[in-house]
Amino acid sequence: MSTRLNPYISFKDNARAAMEFYRDVFGGNLNVSTFGEFGDKDAPGADGVMHAMLETPQGFTLMGADTPPGMEHNPGTNFSVSLSGDDGDELRGWFAKLAEGGQIAVPLEKQMWGDEFGMCTDRFGIGWMVNIAGAPA
């Protein structure tokens, strides 16, 4: 396996719903393991997500988990997930799906640097930046 860089998102009791949502947006294969699968099946939080990994046809990898019982959850307001490229139709579609039920901070539109750019927060509180490369000068 090669080295990879990808976001890993901590959720509070809704990792499964969030990761299934991202699978619906991007497609791909989602693998989910619960705390109970690797410990006491009757313990509090046993059905929580210990680790989830989404691998998409485009080569994206997104990982996430529920915060384990007894640990403090700090919502991820200190990061965003960035999507960028030149396939405008694909990126516009993802932006629309991610913004559904969330909030658009910057509409996806042409910016002064020549690219289309937008920012939104999805319905799970995760910030997304989308940049569609403009035609080269």
Side-chain angles (χ1 to χ4, degrees), residues 73-93:
H73 175 73
N74 297 310
T77 57
N78 60 338
F79 76 95
S80 294
V81 181
S82 174
L83 289 170
S84 56
D86 58 7
D87 188 331
D89 291 339
E90 185 172 60
L91 289 161
R92 284 183 207 95

Side-chain angles (χ1 to χ4, degrees), residues 25-110:
V25 170
F26 298 112
N29 296 315
L30 175 62
N31 293 306
V32 178
S33 301
T34 65
F35 291 108
E37 290 175 74
F38 295 96
D40 182 356
K41 292 177 182 6
D42 299 320
D47 61 344
V49 174
M50 184 178 87
H51 177 72
M53 183 168 74
L54 173 65
E55 293 180 296
T56 74
Q58 296 81 10
F60 303 159
T61 301
L62 182 64
M63 297 179 186
D66 285 317
T67 302
M71 290 184 69
E72 185 176 335
H73 175 73
N74 297 310
T77 57
N78 60 338
F79 76 95
S80 294
V81 181
S82 174
L83 289 170
S84 56
D86 58 7
D87 188 331
D89 291 339
E90 185 172 60
L91 289 161
R92 284 183 207 95
W94 289 337
F95 184 84
K97 289 178 182 179
L98 288 165
E100 200 172 299
Q103 184 174 7
I104 295 175
V106 176
L108 183 58
E109 57 191 20
K110 189 158 185 144

